Amino acid sequence: MMRKRLSALILLLLTVALSSTTVSVAAAEAPVTVTAWFYSGSPAVSEWAKEFNARFNANNPDIKLEFQLMAYDQINTGLIVAAASGVGPDIAYFPANLIPGRIAQGLTTPLNRYLDAWPDSKDFIPDLLKAVTDADGRVHALPFAMWGIFDLYNTDMFLASALTMPHDWDSLLQTARKLTTYNSDGSVRTYGYACSHTLTLAIYNLELAMQQLGKGMISIGDTSVDLNNERATTALNFLQELWQTGMPDGNSGASDLSFSVNGRTAIQGYATYNLLDIAPSNTTSLEPRRVVGPNAGQDLIRFNAGMLYILSTSKHPDAAWRVLADFTSPDNSAGYLQAQVSYLPVRRSVLAKMSTIVTHPLALKMAQLMYSPMTTYGAVHEYWAAIHPVGAPLILSVLQGKRAIPGTLEEAERLMNAALAEQLSRAK
């Protein structure tokens, strides 16, 4: 009887041990959940995202990806509240030009330990990574698509006037003046150069021109704005002349793309995301070009990019990185761009195949412009979004001929530095 009881006890203990082992193995093999907040206004991208989510989970059984499409306001402001409450995602979308603000808020995870061990990192256009790099050289986000902001030329207008394409600021001014023509009543018949008169474009164009002269007004990590200087004076003088060549004020309709298509505007600002606003049949005379600089060879192009970053609050950063690496793979990038259509690749190997991804005639021409040096919207700085609106009204007034340059730059610098000092004080 004693032997039977002992055997039964041993059998019970073995059963419990085996059961515990089974539970432990099952727990160890349970997939890690990674949540990503993504934004897109495109129904085609929404469908593509569902397919990506299912495909990733099928190929990575140890990760359960929850790829959630969110409203932009939720990603912009709601994410901060969610992260502070401990219910934020592991990965989030944000535009490249706003990532420095996320870095300042402490919401991002540096990616260098992953990038340094990832051969594919060398395939990304370096300027894109530079735009999301902090003052210590740490990269905080990974781009998945970009769009360019450049000048769109109507080549027929140049041919009709026997003019060559401008190659520097002086030739651009001369060309803009010659191609601006007037009707007998004094109204403008054709515009040499057109740019919308907005606060944002005014200060962004000044920052771009200053960069072409060697350095912008502020860079990431700087604690003051450097605007009252010779670079800014030279840049603002050029821009004021350009804006006064007969350029429309935005109320004439000349900034509408139809003016470029119909031969009424020779040069105007344009962006990749406007691609679908021009029918393929209307592109024969249109040529996108980089923005000319003060001298030949100093041309520049602006970009912005969709970025994915790993939140500093993520409990599974290694798994989140695997999602980022997969999402930005060449094949996946091509699939996303075919759904989105009006963006460009961020990897050089994919950029070279643009004509096989998007067939619109302007798409390949745009892709061919995206090489170094490139710069993003405005300056790369943690508090750019908070400080540039303070100086923009003064800069716009100068460009519209309502204020003189002397004194304006000094006042704009003072106001922007006061706004920056307030931001730095809050961050302490």
Side-chain angles (χ1 to χ4, degrees):
M1 181 64 71
M2 182 65 73
R3 288 181 177 177
K4 289 182 178 180
R5 289 179 178 176
L6 184 59
S7 296
L9 179 61
I10 292 172
L11 181 60
L12 178 62
L13 291 172
L14 286 171
T15 301
V16 171
L18 288 171
S19 176
S20 299
T21 301
T22 301
V23 171
S24 298
V25 170
E29 294 178 349
V32 169
T33 298
V34 172
T35 304
W37 285 11
F38 193 72
Y39 167 76
S40 176
S42 165
V45 170
S46 297
E47 287 302 312
W48 173 87
K50 294 176 183 177
E51 295 173 5
F52 165 74
N53 198 153
R55 185 169 59 252
F56 181 90
N57 284 340
N59 294 333
N60 299 272
D62 59 325
I63 299 176
K64 180 185 177 183
L65 174 62
E66 295 181 354
F67 201 80
Q68 302 175 6
L69 290 166
M70 312 291 288
Y72 183 77
D73 285 346
Q74 182 67 11
I75 287 179
N76 184 22
T77 57
L79 181 139
I80 299 174
V81 177
S85 303
V87 293
D90 298 277
I91 299 168
Y93 159 89
F94 220 41
N97 67 315
L98 299 180
I99 288 290
R102 287 291 197 242
I103 297 173
Q105 292 164 336
L107 288 171
T108 58
T109 298
L111 302 178
N112 296 65
R113 69 186 181 97
Y114 302 113
L115 292 171
D116 291 346
W118 191 41
D120 283 29
S121 64
K122 296 179 176 60
D123 194 29
F124 288 79
I125 298 174
D127 305 67
L128 304 182
L129 298 179
K130 184 179 179 181
V132 292
T133 298
D134 65 22
D136 295 321
R138 298 175 300 178
V139 179
H140 288 254
L142 197 63
F144 62 86
M146 66 177 172
W147 48 98
I149 302 92
F150 40 83
D151 286 336
L152 186 66
Y153 286 63
N154 184 304
T155 56
D156 284 350
M157 294 181 68
F158 282 82
L159 290 171
S161 301
L163 293 173
T164 58
M165 297 289 183
H167 58 274
D168 59 16
W169 286 355
D170 285 342
S171 58
L172 177 59
L173 288 171
Q174 293 170 15
T175 299
R177 292 189 184 106
K178 289 178 181 178
L179 290 176
T180 301
T181 62
Y182 299 86
N183 296 310
S184 57
D185 63 357
S187 61
V188 179
R189 182 169 64 250
T190 61
Y191 294 91
Y193 185 92
C195 177
S196 297
H197 286 209
T198 67
L199 294 170
T200 300
L201 278 178
I203 199 159
Y204 280 13
N205 287 350
L206 176 58
E207 170 66 18
L208 177 71
M210 288 180 66
Q211 288 188 31
Q212 289 176 309
L213 289 167
K215 188 178 185 297
M217 62 186 79
I218 192 169
S219 301
I220 196 161
D222 287 348
T223 56
S224 64
V225 175
D226 182 19
L227 187 56
N228 186 28
N229 55 50
E230 184 178 347
R231 296 190 316 281
T233 301
T234 301
L236 201 50
N237 267 305
F238 157 69
L239 291 172
Q240 186 185 57
E241 284 192 64
L242 184 61
W243 282 46
Q244 298 301 314
T245 58
M247 191 178 77
D249 62 5
N251 297 320
S252 64
S255 57
D256 188 284
L257 292 176
S258 65
F259 274 56
S260 285
V261 173
N262 298 331
R264 288 200 58 196
T265 298
I267 308 169
Q268 74 162 301
Y270 186 72
T272 308
Y273 50 73
N274 295 129
L275 179 67
L276 298 181
D277 294 336
I278 298 180
S281 58
N282 290 334
T283 60
T284 304
S285 63
L286 300 180
E287 181 182 332
R289 300 187 77 215
R290 289 164 64 94
V291 179
V292 298
N295 299 297
Q298 292 179 310
D299 52 279
L300 198 56
I301 190 168
R302 271 180 291 209
F303 72 88
N304 207 355
M307 293 275 178
L308 292 176
Y309 65 96
I310 300 174
L311 270 75
S312 56
T313 53
S314 172
K315 296 181 176 63
H316 308 291
D318 291 347
W321 166 254
R322 285 171 55 190
V323 174
L324 262 61
D326 190 82
F327 191 85
T328 57
S329 68
D331 288 344
N332 203 59
S333 295
Y336 169 81
L337 291 165
Q338 287 171 339
Q340 177 63 47
V341 179
S342 55
Y343 287 171
L344 298 170
V346 296
R347 298 176 66 132
R348 287 177 282 206
S349 62
V350 184
L351 197 63
K353 302 175 182 177
M354 189 64 193
S355 61
T356 66
I357 299 172
V358 178
T359 58
H360 193 289
L362 285 180
L364 179 60
K365 292 181 179 180
M366 294 174 184
Q368 292 171 337
L369 302 180
M370 307 305 289
Y371 56 85
S372 298
M374 302 196 307
T375 184
T376 191
Y377 293 160
V380 177
H381 189 271
E382 302 93 320
Y383 301 111
W384 174 251
I387 63 176
H388 80 74
V390 178
L394 298 178
I395 303 304
L396 179 60
S397 293
V398 169
L399 296 180
Q400 293 178 329
K402 299 175 182 178
R403 289 181 65 111
I405 294 176
T408 298
L409 288 173
E410 182 180 1
E411 177 67 3
E413 181 184 83
R414 185 187 67 79
L415 292 173
M416 293 174 74
N417 275 325
L420 177 57
E422 182 178 351
Q423 293 294 322
L424 293 171
S425 178
R426 289 179 182 177
K428 290 181 179 179

